[in-house]
């Protein structure tokens, strides 16, 4: 990855059918995107999961970005994350994504339940990413 410019709006994880900018300039700190339909279940059964995410900072040298969720229906009272792209330690041309986050659940939701919900969502996302990689490798 040569640059993080626009990364927040560019990252479209498999299984994230809706994602588009709603405020500011794409790739500029302060811009906000709307995402919907991801694997973390909403608080309302039957409704589509959604969030609005603000890009807080970009660091091209560190190959990282920081963002926060400013509104959502997936149980987060506050959410802030840092994503960083690291070179694989085995010397291959591959890379790893390191993803740190801090989250507080909305009132009435126990932290352990939120962690469990998030864990299920991340497992589904990881499986979809692995499937996408396998499918793209087969197409080459």
């Amino acid at each position: 990855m040569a640059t993080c410019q626009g990364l927040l709006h560019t990252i479209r994880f498999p299984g994230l059918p809706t994602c588009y900018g709603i405020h500011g300039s794409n790739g500029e700190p302060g811009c906000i995107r709307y995402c919907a339909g991801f694997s973390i279940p909403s608080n309302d059964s039957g409704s589509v999961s959604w969030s609005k995410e603000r890009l807080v900072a970009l660091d091209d040298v560190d190959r990282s970005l920081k963002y926060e969720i400013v509104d959502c229906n997936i149980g987060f009272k506050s959410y802030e994350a840092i994503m960083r792209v690291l070179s694989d330690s085995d010397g291959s041309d591959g890379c790893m994504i390191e993803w740190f986050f801090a989250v507080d659940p909305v009132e009435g939701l126990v932290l352990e339940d939120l962690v469990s919900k998030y864990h299920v969502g991340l497992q589904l996302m990881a499986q979809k990413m692995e499937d996408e990689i396998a499918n793209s490798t087969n197409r080459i």
Side-chain angles (χ1 to χ4, degrees):
M1 181 175 81
T3 180
C4 287
Q5 193 66 6
L7 185 60
L8 183 64
H9 290 268
T10 303
I11 293 176
R12 303 232 16 207
F13 292 108
L16 182 61
T18 304
C19 185
Y20 55 86
I22 60 172
H23 174 76
S25 297
N26 184 22
E28 298 284 327
C31 68
I32 299 174
R33 73 176 185 173
Y34 172 83
C35 299
F38 38 80
S39 54
I40 299 174
S42 72
N43 292 339
D44 311 316
S45 64
S47 68
V48 173
S49 301
W50 62 267
S51 68
K52 294 178 183 177
E53 302 173 351
R54 178 185 358 250
L55 179 61
V56 175
L58 288 171
D59 186 333
D60 287 338
V61 174
D62 192 39
R63 300 191 313 173
S64 66
L65 64 82
K66 181 177 183 179
Y67 71 99
E68 63 187 355
I69 292 180
V70 295
D71 195 12
C72 70
N73 72 343
I74 53 176
F76 301 155
K77 180 178 178 182
S78 67
Y79 177 96
E80 189 172 88
I82 296 173
M83 295 179 79
R84 182 174 297 126
V85 178
L86 304 171
S87 298
D88 257 347
S89 58
D90 65 5
S92 69
D93 289 336
C95 65
M96 295 185 307
I97 297 175
E98 191 176 64
W99 190 354
F100 297 96
F101 64 91
V103 62
D104 288 318
V106 294
E107 188 173 322
L109 186 61
V110 178
L111 181 60
E112 290 76 20
D113 293 341
L114 179 61
V115 169
S116 176
K117 179 196 284 197
Y118 204 76
H119 179 75
V120 168
L122 288 175
Q123 293 300 318
L124 289 169
M125 184 186 305
Q127 184 61 53
K128 288 177 184 179
M129 291 173 112
E130 289 174 8
D131 293 346
E132 187 71 20
I133 290 167
N135 288 338
S136 67
T137 303
N138 292 335
R139 288 180 280 210
I140 295 177

